[in-house]
Amino acid sequence: MPAVTVLGLEGSANKVGAGLVRDGRVLSNPRRTFVPAPGQGFLPGQTARHHRGCVLAVLREALQEAGLEPADVDCVAYTKGPGMGAPLVTVAVVARTLAQLWNKPLLGVNHCVGHIEMGRLITGAQNPTVLYVSGGNTQVIAYSERRYRIFGETIDIAVGNCLDRFARVLKEVAHKMLASGECTPEDLCFSLQETLFAMLVEITERAMAHCGSQEALVVGGVGCNMRLQEMMRIMCAERGAKLFATDERFCIDNGAMIAQAGWEMFRTGQVTQLEDSWITQRYRTDEVEVTWRD
Ligand code: MG
């Protein structure tokens, strides 16, 4: 079979990335991050403006670094969702335009599935129970019968956003415990993080026990957190399982993860017609038919 090269474009939150993947090799994966003023979160409009301003430069960089021309690309994959509306639309418009300009098939990719497939590629985990933790998503996932099934999730607030927002709120209120000197802001941050991570590790362990799984994979931006990885590693060791984790190049949102999931989809015959190439802010992990796994 000839080599299949997929361009992946990601922009569902504050990162905009373009990655090129060819048959399991990451050829390039540049990205830019929108950084708002200290103490502020990133808002959809501002973030989309940032992405519009640099998406073409990131794309050019990805092609140059990989030493490829548009003609070498077999498929243009983009993040269909979940994520923030305006940034998602920005990247989808670029993907649609490239697909038409270059006359290539287009593929809308689920962002969470991108994280899972990138994690599997980089770590070599075969059939892991996945803890996906980021600013926008918190899910415990395991594969069964052509779906990535969600065993646990937060719907109100994701763990990364919770930690960030707590730090901002701490600056605004002077809580009784802080005012009396009973504890410091650092104490509260530490306690919150320990409690949240302990909950995540416990739910992951329950899912592993349920599935009889001997592998755990942690993905998403919060998955870079060394304390979380340590707690996960202890849990895995205690049950004779193995922990797989990646570093910030692949944990944090990037274009190559969309390219990798796109590559799996494309080689099993999936494409997205132009008229179906919309975005959706809510796109559940278990909506995707996993045609590339048994
Ligand atoms: Mg993410």
Side-chain angles (χ1 to χ4, degrees):
M1 224 176 113
V4 174
T5 308
V6 177
L7 168 68
L9 296 170
E10 156 62 26
S12 62
N14 68 336
K15 317 280 186 309
V16 59
L20 282 151
V21 167
R22 174 178 286 170
D23 295 348
R25 272 197 310 135
V26 178
L27 304 178
S28 59
N29 197 19
R31 71 176 162 219
R32 303 272 194 286
T33 303
F34 171 58
V35 183
Q40 286 178 21
F42 50 92
L43 300 171
Q46 296 173 346
T47 310
R49 206 170 304 130
H50 167 268
H51 291 2
R52 283 199 296 275
C54 59
V55 63
L56 294 181
V58 174
L59 171 66
R60 233 172 265 127
E61 206 177 310
L63 285 166
Q64 270 167 15
E65 205 183 309
L68 297 183
E69 301 286 332
D72 302 316
V73 174
D74 295 297
C75 174
V76 177
Y78 72 98
T79 306
K80 180 178 170 182
M84 298 197 306
L88 281 171
V89 166
T90 300
V91 171
V93 167
V94 172
R96 277 201 287 272
T97 306
L98 291 176
Q100 290 176 90
L101 269 176
W102 297 350
N103 195 25
K104 305 288 179 189
L106 190 61
L107 202 43
V109 171
N110 180 293
H111 178 87
C112 314
V113 172
H115 274 295
I116 297 169
E117 292 309 331
M118 196 66 193
R120 288 178 65 225
L121 172 71
I122 296 298
T123 66
Q126 292 293 310
N127 185 24
T129 299
V130 181
L131 174 61
Y132 169 31
V133 273
S134 66
N137 294 282
T138 306
Q139 292 181 349
V140 176
I141 303 158
Y143 172 81
S144 173
E145 293 178 6
R146 303 222 144 184
R147 299 275 163 176
Y148 283 117
R149 316 264 168 190
I150 301 169
F151 280 76
E153 65 186 318
T154 63
I155 293 175
D156 50 355
I157 187 168
V159 63
N161 195 1
C162 177
L163 291 169
D164 288 351
R165 204 188 289 179
F166 184 73
R168 288 200 295 274
V169 166
L170 263 185
K171 293 198 165 168
E172 290 156 18
V173 294
H175 193 277
K176 262 187 286 179
M177 286 165 74
L178 291 172
S180 69
E182 194 181 329
C183 65
T184 65
E186 289 82 359
D187 292 332
L188 292 179
C189 290
F190 176 81
S191 297
L192 178 71
Q193 179 176 285
E194 287 289 300
T195 306
L196 291 178
F197 287 179
M199 291 160 74
L200 296 172
V201 172
E202 181 178 339
I203 306 293
T204 308
E205 184 173 19
R206 282 169 188 255
M208 290 174 78
H210 180 80
C211 299
S213 173
Q214 291 300 100
E215 294 180 331
L217 171 67
V218 54
V219 297
V222 180
C224 299
N225 185 299
M226 298 312 281
R227 177 59 183 149
L228 176 61
Q229 289 191 14
E230 185 187 12
M231 290 165 81
M232 285 286 287
R233 196 165 285 117
I234 292 167
M235 178 272 283
C236 285
E238 282 176 354
R239 50 185 301 110
K242 194 167 177 217
L243 176 69
F244 295 88
T246 63
D247 61 40
E248 58 100 39
R249 287 170 302 164
F250 303 113
C251 245
I252 295 174
D253 294 348
N254 62 86
M257 68 186 227
I258 302 305
Q260 175 59 15
W263 180 86
E264 296 276 19
M265 293 166 78
F266 185 64
R267 77 185 173 88
T268 50
Q270 293 197 43
V271 285
T272 301
Q273 297 306 319
L274 198 60
E275 57 269 30
D276 298 324
S277 64
W278 31 273
I279 60 104
T280 169
Q281 287 176 260
R282 302 207 179 276
Y283 184 14
R284 289 179 61 80
T285 312
D286 53 11
E287 280 177 53
V288 178
E289 193 188 355
V290 183
T291 49
W292 57 96
R293 290 186 64 178
D294 295 327

